[in-house]
Amino acid sequence: SPPAGASPGSGAMNLFDRQLKRKQKNWAALQAEPAKCDYLREEVGGRIADRVFDITRTFPLALDVGSGRGYIAQHLTKETVKKLIQVDIAENALKNAVESEIPTVRVVADEEFLPFKENTFDLVVSSLRYQSRDLCVCVLQIHQVLKPDGVFIGAMFGGDTLYELRCSLQLAELEREGGFSPHVSPFTAVADLGHLLSRAGFNTLTVDTDEIQVNYPGLFEVMEDLQGKYILCMGESNCSWNRKPLLHRETMLAAAAIYQEMYGNSDGSVPATFQIYYMIGWKYHESQAKPAQRGSATVSFGDLAKIEGLLKKGKK
């Protein structure tokens, strides 16, 4: 049998436990009062929809990868997207999906193995679904199913997400247990994201970042909210193979004190920061604008400096 963490049918090592991920997401989708759990994903879903609206075209067929309960779809309109396919690894999430005005088909599938033919979709969107996956594989899959001149618009947690919590836990574990283990799935650095998209074949890339900060009474409230809202209700709790099962009580108390001391607000609360990367990439088509050939410029930077000087004199 393949070793723990090996991808099925290959010798490649998978850093994440895919069966655990499916269980986490199915459990999360069944939790009561989902509206209390989903406001971060709904906010980011709305911001992705805004980026779709910025593109002045209609998309006959779109795909939402890791759609969950339809956080992006509820913000889109049938005038922009004519038909939508929602894909998620958790069938319970799709069963509880929010209704949309767009004709929608829901498919249960692993986002790393999209069950669609090449050159199928005009638009692919995805929100906060790449923390526990092989990002290279996912991006390649998305590029493959896009039509030429199709666009991918996605969002994922950035490298500074929950830095206050992660730093506090690591310092506490080092002090009390002589070492530390990851308790939140790893995050991608923004410098790597554009490189990954480019290597997958996307061009005309745009990558920008934003932060959402939430204040809590203390570390224990942060942990409780993450378990109930951001992490488990999004199915994004740590599922790396080297995860540590639990933290000792003494370590947690030490982490709470460190959190308050290092990051505490003047009113006694503590912040939790969620950094969001937004990415846009296009699949190549011959009709797309191409960069000019090297050495074809007709104006030098020296000439531009002279023009700027003339403009300043004209203003005087």
Side-chain angles (χ1 to χ4, degrees):
S1 61
S7 298
S10 75
M13 180 61 68
N14 188 343
L15 298 178
F16 302 103
D17 186 338
R18 303 299 295 154
Q19 291 184 348
L20 175 61
K21 177 51 55 182
R22 182 184 293 272
K23 291 178 181 178
Q24 287 175 346
K25 290 195 172 188
N26 272 316
W27 179 90
L30 293 177
Q31 299 311 295
E33 300 181 297
K36 290 185 177 181
C37 304
D38 294 340
Y39 60 80
L40 184 65
R41 289 206 68 197
E42 288 177 354
E43 173 65 24
V44 176
R47 297 185 186 188
I48 290 177
D50 288 340
R51 285 163 169 79
V52 175
F53 295 141
D54 287 340
I55 301 172
T56 55
R57 68 168 63 177
T58 298
F59 300 98
L61 183 61
L63 172 67
D64 185 351
V65 180
S67 62
R69 296 178 54 251
Y71 307 100
I72 302 175
Q74 63 183 310
H75 298 284
L76 297 173
T77 65
K78 60 184 178 182
E79 288 76 25
T80 302
V81 175
K82 296 299 183 182
K83 185 176 181 180
L84 177 66
I85 309 295
Q86 293 179 325
V87 170
D88 201 281
I89 194 173
E91 56 270 25
N92 290 335
L94 295 175
K95 289 178 183 177
N96 295 318
V98 178
E99 291 300 321
S100 167
E101 65 178 54
I102 303 170
T104 303
V105 176
R106 299 182 177 101
V107 178
V108 178
D110 192 326
E111 295 93 327
E112 289 187 13
F113 305 96
L114 295 176
F116 305 107
K117 293 182 179 179
E118 189 175 356
N119 304 325
T120 298
F121 297 97
D122 306 280
L123 166 70
V124 177
V125 294
S126 187
S127 177
L128 305 181
R129 282 307 203 196
Y130 295 118
Q131 265 44 65
S132 50
R133 289 165 184 79
D134 187 331
L135 182 57
C136 296
V137 171
C138 291
V139 171
L140 284 169
Q141 290 270 305
I142 289 170
H143 185 270
Q144 183 175 6
V145 301
L146 268 175
K147 292 180 180 178
D149 202 33
V151 60
F152 166 53
I153 303 177
M156 63 183 295
F157 287 118
D160 287 339
T161 295
L162 299 175
Y163 71 88
E164 306 98 338
L165 174 64
R166 288 185 287 144
C167 183
S168 300
L169 289 173
Q170 289 176 5
L171 290 174
E173 280 190 281
L174 283 169
E175 177 189 343
R176 298 302 173 95
E177 302 180 31
F180 65 87
S181 173
H183 296 280
V184 179
S185 291
F187 300 103
T188 302
V190 68
D192 299 327
L193 194 53
H195 182 61
L196 284 172
L197 291 169
S198 179
R199 288 193 63 183
F202 288 99
N203 57 22
T204 319
L205 302 175
T206 302
V207 178
D208 62 284
T209 181
D210 196 6
E211 287 188 354
I212 300 173
Q213 191 173 87
V214 184
N215 292 322
Y216 298 89
L219 177 139
F220 292 102
E221 287 78 11
V222 175
M223 298 288 286
E224 181 181 2
D225 205 39
L226 290 174
Q227 292 241 335
K229 295 184 181 181
Y230 304 112
I231 303 299
L232 290 182
C233 278
M234 294 189 302
E236 292 301 340
S237 56
N238 185 21
C239 62
S240 56
W241 287 101
N242 66 339
R243 63 187 179 273
K244 192 174 180 179
L246 54 84
L247 285 166
H248 296 106
R249 182 173 181 274
E250 293 77 10
T251 303
M252 289 293 293
L253 291 172
I258 293 171
Y259 204 140
Q260 184 65 54
E261 179 65 25
M262 292 183 63
Y263 305 107
N265 298 316
S266 58
D267 62 358
S269 64
V270 295
T273 299
F274 298 88
Q275 185 181 42
I276 313 296
Y277 295 156
Y278 296 94
M279 48 194 153
I280 302 176
W282 295 79
K283 188 168 182 177
Y284 174 77
H285 187 267
E286 59 184 9
S287 65
Q288 293 171 348
K290 300 176 180 63
Q293 292 185 353
R294 188 178 182 88
S296 62
T298 57
V299 179
S300 69
F301 283 110
D303 293 334
L304 291 175
K306 293 176 184 177
I307 293 172
E308 184 179 359
L310 291 172
L311 289 173
K312 288 181 180 179
K313 289 181 180 179
K315 288 179 180 180
K316 291 179 180 179

